[in-house]
Structures are given as C-alpha cells and as structure tokens.
Amino acid sequence: MADKTLSAEERAGRAFPVSWDQFHRDCRALTWRLNEIGPFHAVVAITRGGLVPAAIVARELGVRVIDTICIASYDHTKQGELQVLKGISADTAQLGGGTGKGLLIVDDLVDTGKTGRMVREILPDAHFATVYAKPKGRPLVDTFITEVSQDTWIFFPWDTALSFAPPLRDGAA
Ligand SMILES: O=P(O)(O)OC[C@H]1O[C@H](OP(=O)(O)OP(=O)(O)O)[C@H](O)[C@@H]1O
Ligand SMILES: O=c1[nH]c(=O)c2nc[nH]c2[nH]1
Ligand SMILES: [Mg+2]
C-alpha cells in the first residue's frame, strides 16, 4: 500500500529534470501533431502548469484566443481535493458550442489523470493535449509527446534552478 506520509515526489523515486530548451522543443513537437488535427477555435490552458505550453502551442498554431481553467490539486507535491477556482468564459464556451468542440485544452502533464478527468467532464468534446503523460493519466489524453513512468517525478524549468552538482566520485548519484 502507498505510504500516505510520503509526497508524490518522494514516492516517485526517479527524477526527470526538463530544461527550458527541452521543454520548448517538446512543445514544438506537440504542435506538429496538433497542426494535423486542428484548426482550433481557442486554446484553454489548465493553470498553472498549462500556461507555458499553451503560450508556445498557441503561438505556433496561430491561435489568438486563449482562456484558462484554473484548477488546484497539488500543494507542492501532495495531491488533495481538486478545486475548480475559475472556469472558461462565456465567450469561449460559446466557441466550443457548450461541449468544447473545436477547443484545444493544454496542460504540462497528466499524472494520475485526476485533473484531466475533471476537465473532460466539463468539456467532453474538446481535444486534450499534454506535453508529458504518465501511464495512469495517458488514456485521458488525445495527444502527448513523451511518456514517463509512473514512478518518475518531472521537474519543470519554472520549478527548478541551476545548482552545483558534486562529481560522481564524491558520491553523487
Ligand atoms: O494527473 P494529475 O495527477 O491530476 O496531475 C496533473 C496535474 O498536476 C499538476 O498541476 P497542479 O495541481 O500541481 O497545479 P499547478 O499546475 O498550478 O502547478 C500538473 O500541472 C497537472 O495539471
Ligand atoms: O512538477 C510536477 N511534476 C510531476 O511529475 C507531477 N505530477 C503531478 N503534478 C506534478 N508536478
Ligand atoms: Mg497543473
């Protein structure tokens, strides 16, 4: 049984650090795929992690209508109850005909799929794209670029900073 005293990051065990450069390249690769599926009336970013890929994807696709759906679940690395803090605007809802048809939802990743499931309930006909996907969340995503194992924690460039790494012979992992 999973140890509830450990954070998701501690349970993950493995680390997958992503640089800005890598993230930008992965977002562009995602857009190549999405470009074959669109056009989309608007991009809906799941904040906050979806804001960065949404900006890059919208720029590449030439989409200028961008909205947000604001969901909070993880307090740093512990996932709690999902809270929708803000939904999409009436204008965006109208563009998607009420069910999200022709809208592109963007997030940085799916992990357990809890966030994605909630967004799918709100906009069932929207296209859901993430840059990274872990196996549990993968079935919820229409398009993604890289799958990482469930026991991996992805470190995004906006959550990290460059720091000194001791040489391997001094015991660094
Ligand atoms: O598939 P799940 O297990 O639901 O996890 C994925 C979600 O978790 C993270 O967001 P978080 O709630 O940490 O908020 P943030 O985007 O503001 O960092 C991430 O950006 C996804 O939105
Ligand atoms: O920065 C993050 N990395 C992850 O792997 C993850 N999973 C859920 N939420 C997450 N946030
Ligand atoms: Mg998020």
Side-chain angles (χ1 to χ4, degrees):
M1 214 170 89
D3 185 342
K4 291 223 175 348
T5 62
L6 293 178
S7 69
E9 179 190 333
E10 285 161 340
R11 275 199 305 274
R14 292 176 208 223
F16 179 55
V18 180
S19 68
W20 282 112
D21 208 41
Q22 180 68 47
F23 192 74
H24 197 181
R25 264 183 280 133
D26 289 341
C27 288
R28 282 207 169 123
L30 181 65
T31 317
W32 275 103
R33 293 200 183 154
L34 295 170
N35 197 35
E36 318 223 308
I37 297 158
F40 299 102
H41 308 307
V43 167
V44 177
I46 304 179
T47 71
R48 294 158 303 179
L51 286 166
V52 185
I56 298 166
V57 165
R59 188 265 180 188
E60 298 298 338
L61 290 178
V63 176
R64 291 190 180 259
V65 180
I66 300 165
D67 203 342
T68 54
I69 176 158
C70 304
I71 298 187
S73 71
Y74 285 83
D75 175 13
H76 185 33
T77 55
K78 289 207 167 93
Q79 191 171 32
E81 281 310 299
L82 288 197
Q83 267 186 288
V84 179
L85 305 173
K86 179 205 150 289
I88 59 170
S89 72
D91 284 349
T92 312
Q94 200 174 10
L95 280 176
T99 60
K101 198 164 171 49
L103 302 184
L104 173 64
I105 303 167
V106 177
D107 206 351
D108 50 0
L109 79 133
V110 274
D111 187 322
T112 62
K114 234 172 134 178
T115 307
R117 199 166 292 116
M118 176 165 270
V119 173
R120 278 223 166 280
E121 278 169 20
I122 300 168
L123 297 168
D125 292 335
H127 190 92
F128 183 31
T130 65
V131 188
Y132 306 111
K134 299 188 192 179
K136 277 192 193 165
R138 190 184 155 159
L140 291 154
V141 187
D142 296 306
T143 309
F144 70 95
I145 285 299
T146 303
E147 178 163 353
V148 300
S149 64
Q150 201 67 44
D151 63 352
T152 294
W153 190 258
I154 302 168
F155 287 93
F156 289 103
W158 52 88
D159 284 333
T160 53
L162 286 180
S163 66
F164 174 74
L168 290 182
R169 65 166 194 189
D170 293 342

